[in-house]
Amino acid sequence: MHVVLMKFADGADAAKAKLRLEELAGVVPEIRSLRADLDELRTEVSWDLHLRTTHHDEADLRAYQAHPAHQELGAWLRPLLTSRAVVDYTQP
């Protein structure tokens, strides 16, 4: 499981990012599942966007991260972010 939390300089960019991230599911074959959710409460401790992807194994996660579509999206996304947190783990 690959989980990413993102904070944007402009919260309005989160909705655009959600749509672009969801498009990856149809392009990157190493994605088994992808879910992107926008924060609804917008509290001072909230993150703007939550992304969760699943992959068959660590090799598929690495292939997803190296995929040109993911790299292109990352190049667009990174300048919009003020912070990002990632957790990768194996589901039992």
Side-chain angles (χ1 to χ4, degrees):
M1 183 86 57
H2 176 64
V3 177
V4 184
L5 298 174
M6 300 173 221
K7 284 191 184 191
F8 290 81
D10 179 351
D13 288 329
K16 268 189 277 186
K18 178 184 185 299
L19 293 174
R20 291 197 62 184
L21 286 161
E22 290 171 337
E23 290 172 356
L24 287 178
V27 175
V28 181
E30 292 82 10
I31 296 173
R32 291 180 64 194
S33 69
L34 183 148
R35 180 170 177 158
D37 298 293
L38 297 173
D39 179 64
E40 296 174 358
L41 299 181
R42 312 261 319 142
T43 69
E44 65 184 48
V45 296
S46 294
W47 292 74
D48 298 311
L49 182 97
H50 162 264
L51 171 69
R52 184 184 71 206
T53 62
T54 60
H55 309 274
H56 180 68
D57 54 23
E58 184 180 340
D60 274 4
L61 171 61
R62 302 260 182 235
Y64 153 69
Q65 292 170 326
H67 192 283
H70 181 267
Q71 292 292 314
E72 179 183 324
L73 178 57
W76 171 81
L77 188 59
R78 278 188 294 280
L80 304 175
L81 297 176
T82 59
S83 56
R84 176 178 65 158
V86 178
V87 177
D88 293 303
Y89 63 95
T90 303
Q91 230 178 335

Coordinates of all heavy atoms in Angstrom, one line a residue:
M1 N 0.9 -1.2 0.0 CA 0.0 0.0 0.0 C 0.9 1.2 0.0 O 1.9 1.3 0.7 CB -0.9 0.0 1.2 CG -1.9 1.1 1.3 SD -3.4 0.8 0.5 CE -4.1 -0.7 1.2
H2 N 0.5 2.2 -0.8 CA 1.3 3.5 -0.9 C 0.3 4.6 -0.6 O -0.7 4.7 -1.3 CB 1.8 3.6 -2.4 CG 2.5 4.8 -2.7 ND1 3.7 5.2 -2.1 CD2 2.2 5.8 -3.6 CE1 4.1 6.4 -2.6 NE2 3.2 6.8 -3.5
V3 N 0.6 5.3 0.5 CA -0.3 6.4 0.9 C 0.4 7.7 0.9 O 1.5 7.8 1.4 CB -0.9 6.1 2.3 CG1 -1.7 7.3 2.8 CG2 -1.6 4.8 2.4
V4 N -0.2 8.7 0.3 CA 0.4 10.0 0.2 C -0.6 11.1 0.7 O -1.8 11.0 0.3 CB 0.9 10.4 -1.3 CG1 1.6 11.7 -1.3 CG2 1.7 9.3 -1.8
L5 N -0.2 12.0 1.5 CA -1.0 13.1 2.0 C -0.3 14.4 1.4 O 0.9 14.5 1.5 CB -1.0 13.2 3.5 CG -1.7 12.0 4.2 CD1 -1.5 12.2 5.7 CD2 -3.1 11.9 3.8
M6 N -1.1 15.3 0.9 CA -0.6 16.5 0.2 C -1.3 17.7 0.7 O -2.5 17.7 0.9 CB -0.8 16.4 -1.3 CG -0.1 15.2 -2.0 SD -0.5 15.1 -3.7 CE -0.7 13.3 -3.8
K7 N -0.4 18.8 0.9 CA -0.9 20.1 1.2 C -0.5 21.0 0.0 O 0.6 21.0 -0.4 CB -0.3 20.7 2.5 CG -0.9 20.1 3.7 CD -0.5 20.8 5.0 CE -1.1 20.1 6.2 NZ -0.9 20.9 7.4
F8 N -1.5 21.8 -0.4 CA -1.2 22.7 -1.5 C -1.1 24.1 -1.1 O -1.8 24.5 -0.2 CB -2.4 22.6 -2.6 CG -2.4 21.2 -3.3 CD1 -2.9 20.1 -2.7 CD2 -1.9 21.1 -4.5 CE1 -3.0 18.9 -3.3 CE2 -1.9 19.9 -5.2 CZ -2.4 18.8 -4.6
A9 N -0.3 24.9 -1.8 CA -0.3 26.4 -1.5 C -1.6 27.0 -1.8 O -2.1 27.8 -1.0 CB 0.8 27.0 -2.4
D10 N -2.3 26.5 -2.8 CA -3.6 27.0 -3.1 C -4.5 25.8 -3.1 O -4.4 24.9 -3.9 CB -3.7 27.6 -4.5 CG -5.1 28.1 -5.0 OD1 -6.1 27.8 -4.3 OD2 -5.1 28.8 -6.0
G11 N -5.4 25.7 -2.1 CA -6.3 24.5 -1.9 C -7.1 24.2 -3.2 O -7.5 23.0 -3.3
A12 N -7.4 25.1 -4.0 CA -8.1 24.9 -5.2 C -7.4 23.9 -6.2 O -8.0 23.2 -7.0 CB -8.5 26.2 -6.0
D13 N -6.1 23.8 -6.1 CA -5.3 23.0 -6.9 C -5.5 21.5 -6.6 O -5.2 20.6 -7.4 CB -3.8 23.3 -6.9 CG -3.5 24.6 -7.6 OD1 -4.1 24.9 -8.6 OD2 -2.5 25.3 -7.1
A14 N -6.0 21.2 -5.4 CA -6.2 19.8 -5.0 C -7.2 19.1 -5.9 O -7.0 17.9 -6.2 CB -6.6 19.8 -3.5
A15 N -8.3 19.8 -6.3 CA -9.3 19.1 -7.1 C -8.7 18.7 -8.5 O -9.0 17.7 -9.0 CB -10.5 20.0 -7.3
K16 N -7.9 19.6 -9.1 CA -7.2 19.3 -10.3 C -6.3 18.2 -10.2 O -6.2 17.3 -11.0 CB -6.4 20.6 -10.8 CG -7.2 21.5 -11.7 CD -6.3 22.5 -12.3 CE -6.1 23.6 -11.3 NZ -5.4 24.8 -11.7
A17 N -5.5 18.2 -9.1 CA -4.6 17.1 -8.8 C -5.3 15.8 -8.7 O -4.8 14.7 -9.2 CB -3.7 17.4 -7.6
K18 N -6.4 15.8 -8.0 CA -7.2 14.5 -7.8 C -7.6 13.9 -9.2 O -7.4 12.8 -9.4 CB -8.5 14.8 -7.0 CG -9.4 13.6 -6.8 CD -10.6 14.1 -6.0 CE -11.6 12.9 -5.7 NZ -12.1 12.2 -6.8
L19 N -8.1 14.8 -10.1 CA -8.5 14.3 -11.4 C -7.3 13.7 -12.1 O -7.4 12.7 -12.8 CB -9.1 15.4 -12.2 CG -10.5 15.9 -11.7 CD1 -11.0 17.1 -12.5 CD2 -11.5 14.8 -11.7
R20 N -6.2 14.4 -12.1 CA -5.0 14.0 -12.8 C -4.4 12.7 -12.2 O -4.0 11.8 -13.0 CB -3.9 15.1 -12.8 CG -4.3 16.2 -13.7 CD -3.2 17.1 -14.1 NE -2.2 16.4 -14.9 CZ -1.1 17.0 -15.3 NH1 -0.8 18.3 -15.0 NH2 -0.2 16.3 -16.0
L21 N -4.5 12.6 -10.9 CA -4.0 11.3 -10.3 C -4.9 10.2 -10.6 O -4.4 9.1 -10.9 CB -4.0 11.5 -8.7 CG -2.8 12.4 -8.2 CD1 -3.1 12.9 -6.8 CD2 -1.5 11.6 -8.3
E22 N -6.2 10.4 -10.7 CA -7.1 9.3 -11.0 C -6.9 8.8 -12.5 O -7.1 7.6 -12.7 CB -8.5 9.7 -10.8 CG -8.9 9.9 -9.3 CD -10.2 10.5 -9.1 OE1 -10.8 11.2 -9.9 OE2 -10.7 10.3 -7.9
E23 N -6.4 9.7 -13.3 CA -6.1 9.3 -14.7 C -5.0 8.3 -14.8 O -4.9 7.5 -15.7 CB -5.8 10.5 -15.6 CG -7.0 11.4 -15.8 CD -6.7 12.7 -16.5 OE1 -5.5 13.0 -16.7 OE2 -7.6 13.4 -16.8
L24 N -4.1 8.3 -13.8 CA -3.0 7.4 -13.8 C -3.4 5.9 -13.8 O -2.7 5.1 -14.3 CB -2.0 7.6 -12.6 CG -1.2 8.9 -12.7 CD1 -0.4 9.0 -11.4 CD2 -0.2 8.9 -13.9
A25 N -4.5 5.6 -13.1 CA -5.0 4.3 -13.0 C -5.2 3.6 -14.4 O -5.0 2.4 -14.5 CB -6.3 4.2 -12.2
G26 N -5.6 4.4 -15.4 CA -5.8 3.8 -16.7 C -4.6 3.8 -17.6 O -4.6 3.3 -18.7
V27 N -3.5 4.3 -17.1 CA -2.3 4.5 -17.9 C -1.1 3.6 -17.3 O -0.3 3.1 -18.1 CB -1.8 6.0 -17.9 CG1 -0.5 6.2 -18.6 CG2 -2.9 6.9 -18.5
V28 N -1.0 3.5 -16.0 CA 0.2 2.8 -15.4 C -0.3 1.4 -15.1 O -1.1 1.2 -14.1 CB 0.7 3.6 -14.2 CG1 1.8 2.8 -13.6 CG2 1.0 5.0 -14.5
P29 N 0.2 0.4 -15.8 CA -0.3 -1.0 -15.5 C 0.1 -1.5 -14.2 O -0.6 -2.5 -13.7 CB 0.4 -1.8 -16.6 CG 1.5 -1.0 -17.1 CD 1.2 0.4 -16.9
E30 N 1.1 -1.0 -13.5 CA 1.5 -1.5 -12.2 C 0.5 -1.1 -11.0 O 0.7 -1.5 -9.9 CB 2.9 -1.1 -11.8 CG 3.9 -1.8 -12.7 CD 4.1 -1.1 -14.1 OE1 3.6 0.0 -14.3 OE2 4.8 -1.7 -14.9
I31 N -0.4 -0.2 -11.3 CA -1.4 0.2 -10.3 C -2.5 -0.8 -10.3 O -3.2 -1.0 -11.2 CB -2.0 1.6 -10.7 CG1 -0.9 2.7 -10.6 CG2 -3.1 1.9 -9.7 CD1 -1.4 4.0 -11.1
R32 N -2.7 -1.5 -9.1 CA -3.8 -2.4 -8.9 C -5.1 -1.7 -8.6 O -6.2 -2.0 -9.0 CB -3.5 -3.5 -7.9 CG -2.4 -4.4 -8.3 CD -2.0 -5.4 -7.3 NE -3.1 -6.3 -7.0 CZ -3.2 -7.1 -5.9 NH1 -2.3 -7.1 -5.1 NH2 -4.3 -7.9 -5.8
S33 N -4.9 -0.7 -7.7 CA -6.1 0.2 -7.4 C -5.6 1.6 -7.0 O -4.4 1.7 -6.6 CB -6.9 -0.4 -6.2 OG -6.2 -0.4 -5.0
L34 N -6.4 2.5 -7.2 CA -6.0 3.9 -6.9 C -7.3 4.6 -6.4 O -8.4 4.5 -6.9 CB -5.5 4.6 -8.1 CG -5.0 6.1 -7.9 CD1 -3.9 6.4 -8.9 CD2 -6.1 7.1 -8.1
R35 N -7.1 5.3 -5.3 CA -8.2 6.2 -4.7 C -7.6 7.5 -4.3 O -6.6 7.5 -3.6 CB -8.8 5.5 -3.5 CG -9.9 6.3 -2.9 CD -10.7 5.6 -1.9 NE -11.7 6.5 -1.4 CZ -12.8 6.1 -0.8 NH1 -13.1 4.8 -0.7 NH2 -13.6 7.0 -0.3
A36 N -8.2 8.6 -4.7 CA -7.8 9.9 -4.3 C -9.0 10.6 -3.6 O -10.1 10.5 -4.2 CB -7.3 10.7 -5.5
D37 N -8.8 11.2 -2.5 CA -9.9 11.9 -1.8 C -9.5 13.3 -1.4 O -8.4 13.5 -0.9 CB -10.3 11.1 -0.5 CG -10.8 9.7 -0.8 OD1 -11.9 9.6 -1.4 OD2 -10.1 8.7 -0.5
L38 N -10.4 14.2 -1.5 CA -10.2 15.6 -1.0 C -10.7 15.8 0.4 O -11.7 15.2 0.8 CB -11.0 16.6 -1.9 CG -10.6 16.6 -3.4 CD1 -11.5 17.4 -4.2 CD2 -9.2 17.0 -3.6
D39 N -10.0 16.6 1.2 CA -10.4 16.9 2.5 C -11.7 17.7 2.5 O -11.9 18.6 1.6 CB -9.3 17.7 3.3 CG -9.7 18.0 4.7 OD1 -9.9 17.1 5.5 OD2 -9.9 19.2 4.9
E40 N -12.6 17.4 3.4 CA -13.9 18.1 3.4 C -14.0 19.1 4.5 O -14.8 20.0 4.4 CB -15.0 17.0 3.5 CG -15.1 16.1 2.3 CD -16.1 15.0 2.5 OE1 -16.8 14.9 3.6 OE2 -16.2 14.2 1.5
L41 N -13.3 18.9 5.6 CA -13.5 19.8 6.8 C -12.6 21.1 6.8 O -12.9 22.1 7.4 CB -13.3 19.0 8.1 CG -14.3 17.9 8.3 CD1 -14.0 17.2 9.6 CD2 -15.7 18.4 8.2
R42 N -11.4 20.9 6.1 CA -10.5 22.1 6.0 C -10.1 22.7 7.4 O -10.1 23.9 7.5 CB -11.0 23.1 5.1 CG -11.5 22.6 3.7 CD -10.7 22.7 2.5 NE -9.9 23.9 2.4 CZ -8.7 23.9 1.9 NH1 -8.1 22.8 1.5 NH2 -8.0 25.0 1.7
T43 N -9.7 21.8 8.3 CA -9.3 22.3 9.6 C -7.8 22.7 9.6 O -7.1 22.4 8.6 CB -9.5 21.3 10.7 OG1 -8.6 20.2 10.5 CG2 -10.9 20.7 10.7
E44 N -7.3 23.3 10.6 CA -5.9 23.7 10.6 C -4.9 22.5 10.6 O -3.8 22.7 10.2 CB -5.6 24.6 11.8 CG -5.7 23.8 13.1 CD -5.5 24.8 14.3 OE1 -6.1 25.8 14.4 OE2 -4.8 24.4 15.2
V45 N -5.4 21.3 10.9 CA -4.5 20.2 10.8 C -4.8 19.3 9.6 O -4.2 18.2 9.5 CB -4.6 19.3 12.1 CG1 -4.0 20.1 13.3 CG2 -6.0 18.8 12.4
S46 N -5.7 19.7 8.8 CA -6.1 18.9 7.6 C -5.0 18.9 6.5 O -4.3 19.9 6.4 CB -7.4 19.4 7.0 OG -8.5 19.2 7.9
W47 N -5.0 17.9 5.8 CA -4.2 17.8 4.5 C -5.3 18.0 3.4 O -6.4 17.6 3.6 CB -3.5 16.5 4.4 CG -2.4 16.4 5.4 CD1 -2.5 16.1 6.7 CD2 -1.0 16.5 5.1 NE1 -1.3 16.1 7.3 CE2 -0.3 16.3 6.4 CE3 -0.2 16.8 4.0 CZ2 1.1 16.4 6.5 CZ3 1.2 16.8 4.1 CH2 1.8 16.6 5.4
D48 N -4.9 18.5 2.3 CA -5.8 18.7 1.2 C -6.2 17.5 0.4 O -7.4 17.4 0.0 CB -5.2 19.8 0.2 CG -5.0 21.1 0.9 OD1 -5.9 21.6 1.6 OD2 -3.8 21.6 0.7
L49 N -5.3 16.6 0.2 CA -5.6 15.4 -0.6 C -4.9 14.2 -0.1 O -3.8 14.2 0.4 CB -5.0 15.7 -2.0 CG -5.2 14.6 -3.1 CD1 -6.5 15.0 -3.9 CD2 -4.1 14.5 -4.0
H50 N -5.6 13.1 -0.2 CA -5.2 11.8 0.3 C -5.2 10.9 -1.0 O -6.1 10.8 -1.7 CB -6.1 11.2 1.3 CG -6.0 9.7 1.5 ND1 -6.8 8.8 0.9 CD2 -5.2 9.0 2.3 CE1 -6.5 7.6 1.2 NE2 -5.5 7.7 2.1
L51 N -4.0 10.2 -1.2 CA -3.9 9.3 -2.3 C -3.5 7.9 -1.8 O -2.6 7.8 -0.9 CB -2.8 9.7 -3.3 CG -2.4 8.7 -4.4 CD1 -3.5 8.6 -5.4 CD2 -1.1 9.2 -5.1
R52 N -4.2 6.9 -2.2 CA -3.9 5.5 -1.9 C -3.8 4.7 -3.1 O -4.8 4.6 -3.9 CB -4.9 5.0 -0.9 CG -4.5 3.6 -0.4 CD -5.5 3.0 0.5 NE -6.7 2.6 -0.4 CZ -7.9 2.5 0.1 NH1 -8.2 2.8 1.3 NH2 -8.9 2.2 -0.8
T53 N -2.7 4.0 -3.3 CA -2.5 3.1 -4.4 C -2.1 1.8 -3.9 O -1.4 1.7 -2.8 CB -1.5 3.6 -5.5 OG1 -0.2 3.7 -4.9 CG2 -1.9 4.9 -6.1
T54 N -2.5 0.7 -4.6 CA -2.0 -0.6 -4.2 C -1.3 -1.2 -5.4 O -1.6 -0.8 -6.6 CB -3.2 -1.6 -3.8 OG1 -4.1 -1.7 -4.9 CG2 -3.9 -1.1 -2.6
H55 N -0.3 -2.0 -5.1 CA 0.5 -2.6 -6.1 C 0.8 -4.1 -5.7 O 0.7 -4.4 -4.5 CB 1.9 -1.9 -6.2 CG 1.6 -0.4 -6.3 ND1 1.5 0.2 -7.5 CD2 1.5 0.6 -5.4 CE1 1.3 1.5 -7.4 NE2 1.3 1.8 -6.1
H56 N 1.1 -4.9 -6.7 CA 1.3 -6.3 -6.4 C 2.5 -6.5 -5.4 O 2.4 -7.4 -4.5 CB 1.6 -7.1 -7.7 CG 1.8 -8.5 -7.5 ND1 0.8 -9.4 -7.1 CD2 2.9 -9.3 -7.7 CE1 1.4 -10.6 -7.0 NE2 2.6 -10.6 -7.4
D57 N 3.5 -5.8 -5.6 CA 4.7 -5.9 -4.7 C 5.5 -4.6 -4.8 O 5.2 -3.7 -5.5 CB 5.5 -7.1 -5.1 CG 5.9 -7.2 -6.6 OD1 6.0 -6.1 -7.2 OD2 6.2 -8.3 -7.1
E58 N 6.7 -4.6 -4.1 CA 7.5 -3.4 -4.1 C 8.1 -3.1 -5.5 O 8.2 -2.0 -5.9 CB 8.7 -3.7 -3.2 CG 9.6 -2.4 -3.0 CD 10.7 -2.6 -2.1 OE1 10.7 -3.5 -1.2 OE2 11.7 -1.8 -2.2
A59 N 8.3 -4.1 -6.3 CA 8.8 -3.9 -7.7 C 7.8 -3.1 -8.5 O 8.1 -2.2 -9.3 CB 9.2 -5.2 -8.3
D60 N 6.5 -3.5 -8.3 CA 5.5 -2.8 -9.1 C 5.3 -1.3 -8.6 O 5.1 -0.4 -9.3 CB 4.1 -3.5 -8.9 CG 4.0 -4.6 -10.0 OD1 4.9 -4.8 -10.8 OD2 2.9 -5.2 -10.0
L61 N 5.5 -1.1 -7.2 CA 5.5 0.2 -6.7 C 6.6 1.1 -7.3 O 6.4 2.2 -7.8 CB 5.6 0.2 -5.2 CG 5.8 1.6 -4.5 CD1 4.6 2.5 -4.8 CD2 6.0 1.4 -3.0
R62 N 7.8 0.5 -7.4 CA 8.9 1.2 -8.0 C 8.7 1.5 -9.5 O 9.0 2.5 -10.0 CB 10.2 0.4 -7.8 CG 10.5 0.1 -6.3 CD 11.5 1.1 -5.8 NE 11.8 0.7 -4.4 CZ 11.8 1.6 -3.4 NH1 11.4 2.8 -3.6 NH2 12.1 1.2 -2.2
A63 N 8.1 0.5 -10.2 CA 7.8 0.7 -11.6 C 6.8 1.8 -11.8 O 6.9 2.6 -12.7 CB 7.3 -0.6 -12.2
Y64 N 5.8 1.9 -10.9 CA 4.8 2.9 -10.9 C 5.5 4.3 -10.7 O 5.2 5.2 -11.5 CB 3.7 2.7 -9.9 CG 3.0 3.9 -9.3 CD1 2.1 4.6 -10.1 CD2 3.2 4.3 -8.0 CE1 1.5 5.7 -9.6 CE2 2.6 5.4 -7.5 CZ 1.7 6.1 -8.3 OH 1.1 7.2 -7.7
Q65 N 6.3 4.4 -9.8 CA 7.0 5.6 -9.5 C 7.9 6.1 -10.6 O 8.1 7.3 -10.8 CB 7.8 5.5 -8.2 CG 6.9 5.4 -7.0 CD 7.6 5.0 -5.7 OE1 8.6 4.3 -5.7 NE2 7.1 5.5 -4.6
A66 N 8.5 5.1 -11.3 CA 9.4 5.4 -12.5 C 8.7 5.6 -13.8 O 9.3 6.1 -14.8 CB 10.4 4.3 -12.6
H67 N 7.4 5.3 -13.8 CA 6.6 5.4 -15.1 C 6.6 6.8 -15.6 O 6.4 7.8 -14.8 CB 5.2 4.9 -14.9 CG 4.4 4.7 -16.1 ND1 3.9 5.7 -16.8 CD2 4.2 3.5 -16.8 CE1 3.3 5.2 -17.9 NE2 3.4 3.9 -17.9
P68 N 6.8 7.0 -16.9 CA 6.8 8.4 -17.4 C 5.6 9.2 -17.1 O 5.7 10.4 -16.9 CB 6.9 8.2 -18.9 CG 7.6 6.8 -19.1 CD 7.1 6.0 -17.9
A69 N 4.4 8.6 -17.1 CA 3.2 9.4 -16.7 C 3.2 9.8 -15.3 O 2.8 11.0 -15.0 CB 1.9 8.5 -17.0
H70 N 3.7 9.0 -14.4 CA 3.9 9.4 -13.0 C 4.9 10.5 -12.8 O 4.7 11.5 -12.1 CB 4.2 8.2 -12.1 CG 4.4 8.5 -10.7 ND1 5.6 8.8 -10.1 CD2 3.4 8.6 -9.7 CE1 5.4 9.0 -8.8 NE2 4.1 8.9 -8.5
Q71 N 6.0 10.4 -13.6 CA 7.1 11.4 -13.5 C 6.6 12.7 -14.0 O 6.9 13.8 -13.4 CB 8.3 10.9 -14.3 CG 9.0 9.7 -13.7 CD 9.7 10.1 -12.5 OE1 10.4 11.1 -12.3 NE2 9.5 9.2 -11.4
E72 N 5.8 12.7 -15.1 CA 5.3 13.9 -15.7 C 4.3 14.6 -14.7 O 4.3 15.8 -14.5 CB 4.6 13.6 -17.0 CG 3.9 14.8 -17.7 CD 3.2 14.5 -18.9 OE1 3.6 13.6 -19.7 OE2 2.1 15.1 -19.2
L73 N 3.4 13.8 -14.1 CA 2.5 14.4 -13.1 C 3.2 14.9 -11.9 O 2.9 16.0 -11.4 CB 1.5 13.3 -12.7 CG 0.5 13.7 -11.7 CD1 -0.4 14.9 -12.1 CD2 -0.4 12.6 -11.3
G74 N 4.2 14.2 -11.5 CA 5.0 14.7 -10.3 C 5.7 16.0 -10.6 O 5.7 16.9 -9.7
A75 N 6.2 16.2 -11.8 CA 6.8 17.5 -12.2 C 5.8 18.6 -12.2 O 6.2 19.8 -11.8 CB 7.5 17.4 -13.6
W76 N 4.6 18.3 -12.5 CA 3.5 19.4 -12.5 C 3.1 19.6 -11.1 O 2.9 20.8 -10.6 CB 2.3 18.9 -13.3 CG 1.1 19.8 -13.2 CD1 0.9 20.9 -13.8 CD2 0.0 19.5 -12.3 NE1 -0.3 21.4 -13.4 CE2 -0.9 20.6 -12.5 CE3 -0.4 18.5 -11.5 CZ2 -2.1 20.7 -11.8 CZ3 -1.6 18.6 -10.8 CH2 -2.4 19.6 -11.0
L77 N 3.0 18.5 -10.3 CA 2.5 18.6 -8.9 C 3.4 19.2 -7.9 O 3.0 20.0 -7.1 CB 2.1 17.2 -8.5 CG 1.3 16.9 -7.2 CD1 0.0 17.6 -7.3 CD2 1.1 15.4 -7.0
R78 N 4.7 18.8 -7.9 CA 5.6 19.3 -6.8 C 5.6 20.8 -6.6 O 5.6 21.2 -5.4 CB 7.0 18.7 -7.1 CG 7.1 17.3 -6.6 CD 8.6 16.8 -6.7 NE 9.1 16.7 -8.0 CZ 8.8 15.7 -8.9 NH1 8.1 14.7 -8.5 NH2 9.3 15.7 -10.1
P79 N 5.6 21.6 -7.6 CA 5.7 23.1 -7.3 C 4.4 23.6 -6.7 O 4.4 24.7 -6.1 CB 5.9 23.7 -8.7 CG 6.4 22.6 -9.6 CD 5.8 21.3 -9.0
L80 N 3.3 22.9 -6.8 CA 2.1 23.3 -6.2 C 1.9 23.0 -4.7 O 1.1 23.5 -4.0 CB 0.9 22.7 -6.9 CG 0.8 22.9 -8.4 CD1 -0.4 22.1 -9.0 CD2 0.7 24.4 -8.7
L81 N 2.8 22.1 -4.2 CA 2.7 21.6 -2.8 C 3.5 22.4 -1.8 O 4.6 22.8 -2.2 CB 3.2 20.1 -2.8 CG 2.5 19.1 -3.6 CD1 3.2 17.7 -3.5 CD2 1.0 19.0 -3.2
T82 N 3.0 22.5 -0.6 CA 3.8 23.1 0.5 C 4.4 21.9 1.3 O 5.4 22.1 1.9 CB 2.9 24.0 1.3 OG1 1.8 23.2 1.9 CG2 2.4 25.2 0.6
S83 N 3.7 20.8 1.3 CA 4.3 19.6 2.0 C 3.6 18.3 1.5 O 2.5 18.4 0.9 CB 4.2 19.7 3.5 OG 2.8 20.0 3.9
R84 N 4.3 17.2 1.8 CA 3.8 15.9 1.4 C 4.3 14.9 2.4 O 5.4 15.0 2.9 CB 4.4 15.6 0.0 CG 4.1 14.3 -0.6 CD 4.6 14.1 -2.0 NE 6.1 14.2 -1.9 CZ 6.9 13.7 -2.9 NH1 6.4 13.2 -3.9 NH2 8.2 13.8 -2.7
A85 N 3.5 13.9 2.7 CA 3.9 12.8 3.6 C 3.5 11.5 2.9 O 2.5 11.4 2.2 CB 3.1 12.9 4.9
V86 N 4.4 10.5 3.1 CA 4.2 9.2 2.4 C 4.4 8.1 3.4 O 5.3 8.2 4.3 CB 5.3 9.0 1.3 CG1 5.1 7.7 0.6 CG2 5.2 10.2 0.3
V87 N 3.5 7.1 3.3 CA 3.7 5.9 4.1 C 3.5 4.7 3.1 O 2.5 4.7 2.4 CB 2.6 5.8 5.2 CG1 2.7 4.4 5.9 CG2 2.7 6.9 6.2
D88 N 4.5 3.8 3.1 CA 4.4 2.6 2.3 C 4.4 1.4 3.2 O 5.2 1.3 4.1 CB 5.6 2.5 1.3 CG 5.6 3.6 0.3 OD1 4.6 3.7 -0.4 OD2 6.6 4.4 0.2
Y89 N 3.5 0.5 3.0 CA 3.4 -0.7 3.9 C 2.8 -1.9 3.1 O 2.1 -1.7 2.1 CB 2.7 -0.4 5.2 CG 1.2 0.0 5.0 CD1 0.2 -1.0 5.1 CD2 0.8 1.3 4.7 CE1 -1.1 -0.7 4.9 CE2 -0.5 1.6 4.5 CZ -1.5 0.6 4.6 OH -2.8 0.9 4.4
T90 N 3.1 -3.1 3.7 CA 2.5 -4.3 3.1 C 1.2 -4.6 3.9 O 1.3 -4.6 5.1 CB 3.5 -5.4 3.2 OG1 4.7 -5.0 2.6 CG2 3.0 -6.7 2.6
Q91 N 0.2 -4.8 3.2 CA -1.1 -5.2 3.8 C -1.1 -6.7 4.1 O -0.7 -7.5 3.3 CB -2.2 -4.9 2.8 CG -3.3 -4.1 3.5 CD -4.4 -3.8 2.5 OE1 -4.2 -3.7 1.3 NE2 -5.6 -3.6 3.0
P92 N -1.5 -7.1 5.3 CA -1.6 -8.5 5.6 C -2.6 -9.3 4.9 O -3.5 -8.7 4.3 CB -1.9 -8.5 7.1 CG -2.3 -7.2 7.5 CD -2.0 -6.3 6.4

